[in-house]
Amino acid sequence: MLTATVTLDPAFVVGPVRPRTFGTFVEHLGRCVYTGIYEPEHATADEDGFRTDVLDLTRELEVTTVRYPGGNFVSGYRWEDGVGPREARPVRLDLAWHSSEPNWVGVDEFVRWCRKAGVEPMMAVNLGTRGVQEALDLLEYCNVTGGTYLSDLRRANGAEEPHGIRMWCLGNEMDGPWQIGHKTAEEYARLATETARAMRMIDPTIELVACGSSSSEMTTFGAWEHTVLSEAYEQVDYVSAHVYYNGADGDLASFLASAVNMDRFIASVAATADAVRAAGKHEKRIHISFDEWNVWYIDRMRSEVPTGEDWPVAPILCEDTYTVADAVVVGNCLISLLRHADRVHAASLAQLVNVIAPIMTEPGGRSWRQTTFHPFALTAHHARGEVLRLAISSPLLPTAKYGDVPALDAVATHDAATGEVAIFVVNRSPDEELLLDSDLRAFPGLRVIEAVTLHSPDHTWAATADDATSVVPQANTSALLADGRLGAALPPISWSMIRLKPTETIPVVPNRGGRAL
């Protein structure tokens, strides 16, 4: 059996657990909106047409933010089409996904859904086919209390109080040649800067995200971020990062090590932002909004968009069925995002429902949890307080893509208010069990209160509407704590969570991590 050691100490802190780490993404793509969050004819639909079974699962997932309405969709979107009487809204061609958009759901419905789900809306503006004025119009509609044409229009449309949206994305993946209105770094930098400056004239409290590279594999990666931030640094708060992984090439070892790439990606974006900060002698620091990430088998047939004269409403698109191995990679990516809590201040799992999503639905029928649902929900629920910087010593595994990588990866959080410690850990080995040996002597008086592991002898097992529960996180009875050391056996290709709490009540002290947005 392989053995890895992990040492925890409350003095070594990365930063607070940031609630926005547990965001997701709703785009007008495939069945994410229609027959996903919205289906008026469904048996569970509420008075606004929202599926309450999906709302319940969204709350269980403990989502904190939802990015909307895209994604590639936003670069051709006219937000005005989605407000006012539903019967008067136009049907438009969505060039991004070769679909028809009926505009049954728009900004007001989305914000209403967010309130019901208990999540913070994160809005994107169209900087592909549109620009400064249209972004200002949308902000006025959403955030101005009243007394202007657009704020009063919102009130007339049934939203008396302003939507109060705080976080705004300045376009989407504008470096991508596939993007409607694709721009060079210089072109985008000027447009984003002027849009941001003008938006702050309406609402100086908003937080703005500049587009970073669509992926670290782009030939312009690094140079794009440098050019954009050199122009926009003082006007924005975040730069975005996007990444998707999959194991379609059959290289399981490299796929299980995908978070190694995420770590490197984050480090590179942070280094570029800091280089611009130093050169420009800026006081503030730009942080990262990792607002698209997931496992996505982009070359599978279900990801092929319609063609020709076929412009369907809500076609089946990007409806990946996730395996246990996929869930382990998702859990490991969450470990990476938490580990970088000092620089990653927001993240969005793409997407929430049906489209490469943890939640699946049948039109008019059932909903269920995919394998990826479980590590996300448990991490979102139990990561509290501060993220700890761990000392990890692990055996190495060879991979074709990333060289030798640690078999074990882990992160831990510590809630000073309750004394609770949560450890999130993966065994990346495709075929060997791993013994976790954790030094917890810096946390005297703890006891194990929960230990669960997501694993299956068949790592290709996937949930379906007929069977979504045969493989779920199960109690790991091997997790034992004695004399300040925690041991646990971790099966191959597994994600685990171990929670510990003081045996006696400790005095309550301020929780520097908190959970407030």
Side-chain angles (χ1 to χ4, degrees):
M1 183 186 296
L2 302 174
T3 300
T5 61
V6 177
T7 303
L8 291 73
D9 192 301
F12 297 106
V13 174
V14 176
V17 174
R18 301 189 185 277
R20 283 176 173 165
T21 303
F22 305 106
T24 60
F25 182 22
V26 166
E27 180 174 359
H28 286 251
L29 191 178
R31 296 195 310 112
C32 187
V33 175
Y34 306 119
T35 72
I37 68 171
Y38 178 80
E39 190 176 0
E41 299 80 15
H42 196 269
T44 72
D46 66 11
E47 68 281 1
D48 292 312
F50 299 127
R51 287 183 60 149
T52 57
D53 58 340
V54 173
L55 279 168
D56 289 342
L57 287 171
T58 301
R59 297 185 195 103
E60 182 185 338
L61 194 61
E62 300 219 10
V63 173
T64 54
T65 66
V66 175
R67 181 172 173 246
Y68 177 87
N72 296 346
F73 173 82
V74 76
S75 291
Y77 183 50
R78 287 178 271 197
W79 69 269
E80 307 95 322
D81 291 345
V83 301
R86 191 171 281 114
E87 62 275 9
R89 298 180 188 181
V91 177
R92 301 284 190 185
L93 295 181
D94 167 24
L95 304 186
W97 301 108
H98 203 88
S99 307
S100 291
E101 174 52 53
N103 287 298
W104 298 328
V105 170
V107 60
D108 293 323
E109 287 84 10
F110 172 68
V111 171
R112 196 175 306 132
W113 180 87
C114 285
R115 302 296 183 241
K116 294 183 178 190
V119 303
E120 176 191 10
M122 177 180 174
M123 189 67 67
V125 299
N126 177 358
L127 294 188
T129 60
R130 311 190 96 181
V132 178
Q133 186 59 61
E134 291 84 1
L136 292 176
D137 289 348
L138 178 57
L139 178 60
E140 179 185 326
Y141 184 89
C142 290
N143 282 17
V144 172
T145 301
T148 68
Y149 171 75
L150 289 170
S151 62
D152 286 344
L153 178 62
R154 182 201 69 242
R155 297 169 68 191
N157 288 335
E160 180 67 26
E161 297 300 319
H163 295 323
I165 298 172
R166 301 266 65 79
M167 201 167 182
W168 295 76
C169 300
L170 299 170
N172 174 75
E173 294 186 356
M174 298 310 302
D175 63 329
W178 58 85
Q179 201 71 210
I180 305 168
H182 159 64
K183 293 171 173 58
T184 66
E186 291 78 12
E187 290 169 337
Y188 172 72
R190 289 296 302 145
L191 178 57
T193 300
E194 293 310 315
T195 303
R197 181 179 288 113
M199 290 177 74
R200 291 194 189 280
M201 291 178 182
I202 292 179
D203 187 346
T205 70
I206 57 176
E207 301 169 57
L208 298 173
V209 184
C211 288
S213 297
S214 304
S215 91
S216 59
E217 304 305 312
M218 297 291 290
T219 57
T220 55
F221 172 60
W224 171 278
E225 282 82 359
H226 195 281
T227 298
V228 169
L229 290 178
S230 294
E231 180 77 27
Y233 199 98
E234 285 301 325
Q235 299 301 328
V236 301
D237 305 286
Y238 308 90
V239 61
S240 71
H242 293 178
V243 73
Y244 295 98
Y245 301 108
N246 70 67
D249 59 3
D251 183 357
L252 180 60
S254 294
F255 177 53
L256 292 170
S258 294
V260 170
N261 175 266
M262 180 177 267
D263 287 334
R264 295 173 183 174
F265 191 0
I266 293 168
S268 296
V269 175
T272 303
D274 288 347
V276 175
R277 178 180 184 235
K281 299 177 177 58
H282 301 285
E283 290 295 324
K284 73 174 186 179
R285 192 181 297 277
I286 295 291
H287 296 291
I288 297 170
S289 173
F290 218 121
D291 45 45
E292 283 190 38
W293 70 273
N294 204 346
V295 171
W296 182 9
Y297 291 86
I298 193 169
D299 294 324
R300 286 183 179 168
M301 188 169 59
R302 279 180 172 251
S303 288
E304 293 181 3
V305 300
T307 58
E309 296 299 315
D310 186 17
W311 296 85
V313 174
I316 292 175
L317 271 177
C318 311
E319 296 193 12
D320 278 352
T321 299
Y322 288 124
T323 67
V324 172
D326 296 330
V328 171
V329 170
V330 165
N332 199 175
C333 287
L334 281 167
I335 288 171
S336 175
L337 293 170
L338 283 170
R339 178 165 48 238
H340 294 282
D342 55 334
R343 297 311 299 268
V344 177
H345 285 205
S348 302
L349 179 74
Q351 295 186 12
L352 178 65
V353 190
N354 291 327
V355 175
I356 53 172
I359 300 170
M360 296 297 295
T361 70
E362 293 174 330
R366 298 168 290 182
S367 59
W368 65 98
R369 304 166 187 81
Q370 293 233 60
T371 57
T372 56
F373 184 101
H374 304 293
F376 190 103
L378 288 169
T379 307
H381 185 71
H382 293 293
R384 294 289 188 271
E386 293 175 319
V387 181
L388 300 182
R389 194 177 305 279
L390 307 184
I392 300 175
S393 177
S394 169
L396 299 179
L397 300 173
T399 69
K401 290 182 181 177
Y402 310 120
D404 291 343
V405 304
L408 178 138
D409 196 18
V411 74
T413 61
H414 174 227
D415 188 346
T418 63
E420 182 170 323
V421 172
I423 304 172
F424 307 94
V425 58
V426 293
N427 177 6
R428 293 168 171 159
S429 174
D431 48 26
E432 290 193 67
E433 189 175 45
L434 181 67
L435 177 63
L436 171 67
D437 176 22
S438 299
D439 185 345
L440 290 165
R441 288 174 293 180
F443 293 92
L446 291 180
R447 59 186 174 90
V448 176
I449 59 171
E450 183 180 19
V452 295
T453 294
L454 179 63
H455 163 75
S456 171
D458 176 11
H459 69 266
T460 67
W461 185 92
T464 65
D466 293 324
D467 179 12
T469 58
S470 286
V471 179
V472 295
Q474 299 287 345
N476 186 331
T477 57
S478 72
L480 300 173
L481 177 62
D483 300 323
R485 301 197 78 89
L486 169 70
L490 308 176
I493 314 180
S494 66
W495 174 91
S496 301
M497 176 189 71
I498 304 172
R499 296 171 52 221
L500 307 103
K501 203 167 186 178
T503 54
E504 298 180 3
T505 303
I506 64 171
V508 175
V509 296
N511 180 357
R512 287 176 286 168
R515 290 295 282 181
L517 293 172

mmCIF file of all heavy atoms in Angstrom, residues 324 369 371 374 454-457 461-464 466-474:
data_model
loop_
_atom_site.group_PDB
_atom_site.id
_atom_site.type_symbol
_atom_site.label_atom_id
_atom_site.label_comp_id
_atom_site.label_asym_id
_atom_site.label_seq_id
_atom_site.Cartn_x
_atom_site.Cartn_y
_atom_site.Cartn_z
ATOM 1 N N VAL A 324 -17.615 7.964 -12.138
ATOM 2 C CA VAL A 324 -16.945 8.140 -10.847
ATOM 3 C C VAL A 324 -15.608 8.842 -11.043
ATOM 4 O O VAL A 324 -15.247 9.742 -10.270
ATOM 5 C CB VAL A 324 -16.769 6.781 -10.150
ATOM 6 C CG1 VAL A 324 -15.893 6.917 -8.909
ATOM 7 C CG2 VAL A 324 -18.123 6.186 -9.788
ATOM 8 N N ARG A 369 -29.246 13.418 -9.506
ATOM 9 C CA ARG A 369 -27.894 13.905 -9.231
ATOM 10 C C ARG A 369 -26.885 13.076 -10.020
ATOM 11 O O ARG A 369 -26.884 11.857 -9.932
ATOM 12 C CB ARG A 369 -27.570 13.796 -7.738
ATOM 13 C CG ARG A 369 -28.544 14.506 -6.831
ATOM 14 C CD ARG A 369 -28.342 14.047 -5.393
ATOM 15 N NE ARG A 369 -29.377 14.570 -4.492
ATOM 16 C CZ ARG A 369 -30.596 14.037 -4.356
ATOM 17 N NH1 ARG A 369 -30.936 12.943 -5.051
ATOM 18 N NH2 ARG A 369 -31.464 14.570 -3.526
ATOM 19 N N THR A 371 -22.799 11.987 -10.676
ATOM 20 C CA THR A 371 -21.710 11.683 -9.723
ATOM 21 C C THR A 371 -21.001 12.952 -9.270
ATOM 22 O O THR A 371 -20.559 13.049 -8.118
ATOM 23 C CB THR A 371 -20.681 10.747 -10.361
ATOM 24 O OG1 THR A 371 -20.168 11.352 -11.565
ATOM 25 C CG2 THR A 371 -21.288 9.390 -10.693
ATOM 26 N N HIS A 374 -21.924 15.147 -5.901
ATOM 27 C CA HIS A 374 -21.608 14.827 -4.504
ATOM 28 C C HIS A 374 -20.361 15.540 -3.962
ATOM 29 O O HIS A 374 -20.441 16.149 -2.886
ATOM 30 C CB HIS A 374 -21.513 13.318 -4.338
ATOM 31 C CG HIS A 374 -22.749 12.609 -4.793
ATOM 32 N ND1 HIS A 374 -23.963 12.741 -4.154
ATOM 33 C CD2 HIS A 374 -22.970 11.773 -5.850
ATOM 34 C CE1 HIS A 374 -24.885 12.019 -4.780
ATOM 35 N NE2 HIS A 374 -24.304 11.419 -5.807
ATOM 36 N N LEU A 454 -16.074 8.620 -1.984
ATOM 37 C CA LEU A 454 -16.741 8.326 -3.245
ATOM 38 C C LEU A 454 -15.804 7.465 -4.080
ATOM 39 O O LEU A 454 -14.706 7.898 -4.468
ATOM 40 C CB LEU A 454 -17.079 9.616 -3.991
ATOM 41 C CG LEU A 454 -17.764 9.453 -5.361
ATOM 42 C CD1 LEU A 454 -19.119 8.791 -5.208
ATOM 43 C CD2 LEU A 454 -17.893 10.787 -6.068
ATOM 44 N N HIS A 455 -16.232 6.236 -4.344
ATOM 45 C CA HIS A 455 -15.385 5.270 -5.045
ATOM 46 C C HIS A 455 -16.256 4.147 -5.567
ATOM 47 O O HIS A 455 -17.326 3.854 -5.019
ATOM 48 C CB HIS A 455 -14.328 4.695 -4.091
ATOM 49 C CG HIS A 455 -13.682 3.436 -4.590
ATOM 50 N ND1 HIS A 455 -12.750 3.436 -5.598
ATOM 51 C CD2 HIS A 455 -13.851 2.134 -4.224
ATOM 52 C CE1 HIS A 455 -12.366 2.193 -5.837
ATOM 53 N NE2 HIS A 455 -13.015 1.388 -5.017
ATOM 54 N N SER A 456 -15.802 3.539 -6.647
ATOM 55 C CA SER A 456 -16.433 2.324 -7.148
ATOM 56 C C SER A 456 -15.361 1.455 -7.786
ATOM 57 O O SER A 456 -14.448 1.988 -8.438
ATOM 58 C CB SER A 456 -17.520 2.650 -8.187
ATOM 59 O OG SER A 456 -17.984 1.468 -8.809
ATOM 60 N N PRO A 457 -15.434 0.142 -7.613
ATOM 61 C CA PRO A 457 -14.505 -0.733 -8.334
ATOM 62 C C PRO A 457 -14.563 -0.506 -9.842
ATOM 63 O O PRO A 457 -13.590 -0.737 -10.546
ATOM 64 C CB PRO A 457 -14.993 -2.140 -7.952
ATOM 65 C CG PRO A 457 -15.701 -1.962 -6.657
ATOM 66 C CD PRO A 457 -16.343 -0.613 -6.728
ATOM 67 N N TRP A 461 -18.649 3.798 -13.773
ATOM 68 C CA TRP A 461 -20.062 3.824 -13.382
ATOM 69 C C TRP A 461 -20.584 5.254 -13.458
ATOM 70 O O TRP A 461 -19.924 6.212 -13.034
ATOM 71 C CB TRP A 461 -20.253 3.283 -11.982
ATOM 72 C CG TRP A 461 -21.704 3.179 -11.582
ATOM 73 C CD1 TRP A 461 -22.517 2.112 -11.730
ATOM 74 C CD2 TRP A 461 -22.515 4.212 -10.973
ATOM 75 N NE1 TRP A 461 -23.786 2.391 -11.262
ATOM 76 C CE2 TRP A 461 -23.809 3.679 -10.803
ATOM 77 C CE3 TRP A 461 -22.270 5.532 -10.581
ATOM 78 C CZ2 TRP A 461 -24.856 4.411 -10.238
ATOM 79 C CZ3 TRP A 461 -23.311 6.268 -10.023
ATOM 80 C CH2 TRP A 461 -24.580 5.710 -9.854
ATOM 81 N N ALA A 462 -21.797 5.409 -13.954
ATOM 82 C CA ALA A 462 -22.429 6.721 -14.074
ATOM 83 C C ALA A 462 -23.876 6.644 -13.619
ATOM 84 O O ALA A 462 -24.556 5.635 -13.820
ATOM 85 C CB ALA A 462 -22.361 7.224 -15.519
ATOM 86 N N ALA A 463 -24.351 7.719 -13.010
ATOM 87 C CA ALA A 463 -25.733 7.778 -12.552
ATOM 88 C C ALA A 463 -26.674 7.976 -13.730
ATOM 89 O O ALA A 463 -26.331 8.607 -14.738
ATOM 90 C CB ALA A 463 -25.911 8.917 -11.548
ATOM 91 N N THR A 464 -27.888 7.445 -13.587
ATOM 92 C CA THR A 464 -28.955 7.630 -14.577
ATOM 93 C C THR A 464 -30.239 7.954 -13.833
ATOM 94 O O THR A 464 -30.307 7.858 -12.597
ATOM 95 C CB THR A 464 -29.160 6.358 -15.419
ATOM 96 O OG1 THR A 464 -29.644 5.308 -14.558
ATOM 97 C CG2 THR A 464 -27.866 5.926 -16.100
ATOM 98 N N ASP A 466 -32.727 6.121 -13.760
ATOM 99 C CA ASP A 466 -33.187 4.865 -13.164
ATOM 100 C C ASP A 466 -32.343 4.447 -11.968
ATOM 101 O O ASP A 466 -32.829 3.737 -11.078
ATOM 102 C CB ASP A 466 -33.173 3.742 -14.210
ATOM 103 C CG ASP A 466 -34.188 3.968 -15.310
ATOM 104 O OD1 ASP A 466 -35.281 4.493 -15.003
ATOM 105 O OD2 ASP A 466 -33.881 3.655 -16.474
ATOM 106 N N ASP A 467 -31.086 4.855 -11.945
ATOM 107 C CA ASP A 467 -30.189 4.487 -10.838
ATOM 108 C C ASP A 467 -29.182 5.598 -10.613
ATOM 109 O O ASP A 467 -28.148 5.685 -11.285
ATOM 110 C CB ASP A 467 -29.457 3.183 -11.138
ATOM 111 C CG ASP A 467 -28.502 2.789 -10.010
ATOM 112 O OD1 ASP A 467 -28.588 3.402 -8.916
ATOM 113 O OD2 ASP A 467 -27.671 1.883 -10.216
ATOM 114 N N ALA A 468 -29.499 6.449 -9.665
ATOM 115 C CA ALA A 468 -28.593 7.544 -9.308
ATOM 116 C C ALA A 468 -27.975 7.352 -7.930
ATOM 117 O O ALA A 468 -27.265 8.229 -7.442
ATOM 118 C CB ALA A 468 -29.342 8.878 -9.349
ATOM 119 N N THR A 469 -28.210 6.198 -7.305
ATOM 120 C CA THR A 469 -27.801 6.041 -5.903
ATOM 121 C C THR A 469 -26.936 4.809 -5.633
ATOM 122 O O THR A 469 -26.512 4.607 -4.498
ATOM 123 C CB THR A 469 -29.034 5.969 -4.988
ATOM 124 O OG1 THR A 469 -29.862 4.871 -5.398
ATOM 125 C CG2 THR A 469 -29.833 7.267 -5.058
ATOM 126 N N SER A 470 -26.655 3.989 -6.633
ATOM 127 C CA SER A 470 -25.827 2.804 -6.371
ATOM 128 C C SER A 470 -24.415 3.187 -5.946
ATOM 129 O O SER A 470 -23.775 2.479 -5.162
ATOM 130 C CB SER A 470 -25.764 1.907 -7.621
ATOM 131 O OG SER A 470 -26.974 1.229 -7.805
ATOM 132 N N VAL A 471 -23.914 4.299 -6.478
ATOM 133 C CA VAL A 471 -22.588 4.790 -6.088
ATOM 134 C C VAL A 471 -22.736 6.227 -5.608
ATOM 135 O O VAL A 471 -22.971 7.141 -6.401
ATOM 136 C CB VAL A 471 -21.584 4.720 -7.247
ATOM 137 C CG1 VAL A 471 -20.224 5.259 -6.798
ATOM 138 C CG2 VAL A 471 -21.436 3.278 -7.748
ATOM 139 N N VAL A 472 -22.628 6.401 -4.315
ATOM 140 C CA VAL A 472 -22.648 7.711 -3.673
ATOM 141 C C VAL A 472 -21.588 7.681 -2.572
ATOM 142 O O VAL A 472 -21.067 6.613 -2.235
ATOM 143 C CB VAL A 472 -24.034 8.033 -3.067
ATOM 144 C CG1 VAL A 472 -25.091 8.156 -4.159
ATOM 145 C CG2 VAL A 472 -24.426 6.989 -2.042
ATOM 146 N N PRO A 473 -21.224 8.819 -1.998
ATOM 147 C CA PRO A 473 -20.256 8.781 -0.900
ATOM 148 C C PRO A 473 -20.727 7.879 0.231
ATOM 149 O O PRO A 473 -21.854 7.993 0.707
ATOM 150 C CB PRO A 473 -20.177 10.248 -0.462
ATOM 151 C CG PRO A 473 -20.532 11.020 -1.698
ATOM 152 C CD PRO A 473 -21.577 10.195 -2.380
ATOM 153 N N GLN A 474 -19.841 6.973 0.650
ATOM 154 C CA GLN A 474 -20.148 6.008 1.705
ATOM 155 C C GLN A 474 -19.213 6.213 2.883
ATOM 156 O O GLN A 474 -18.102 6.732 2.740
ATOM 157 C CB GLN A 474 -19.999 4.577 1.178
ATOM 158 C CG GLN A 474 -20.914 4.226 0.028
ATOM 159 C CD GLN A 474 -22.355 4.039 0.450
ATOM 160 O OE1 GLN A 474 -22.647 3.905 1.644
ATOM 161 N NE2 GLN A 474 -23.273 4.035 -0.505
#
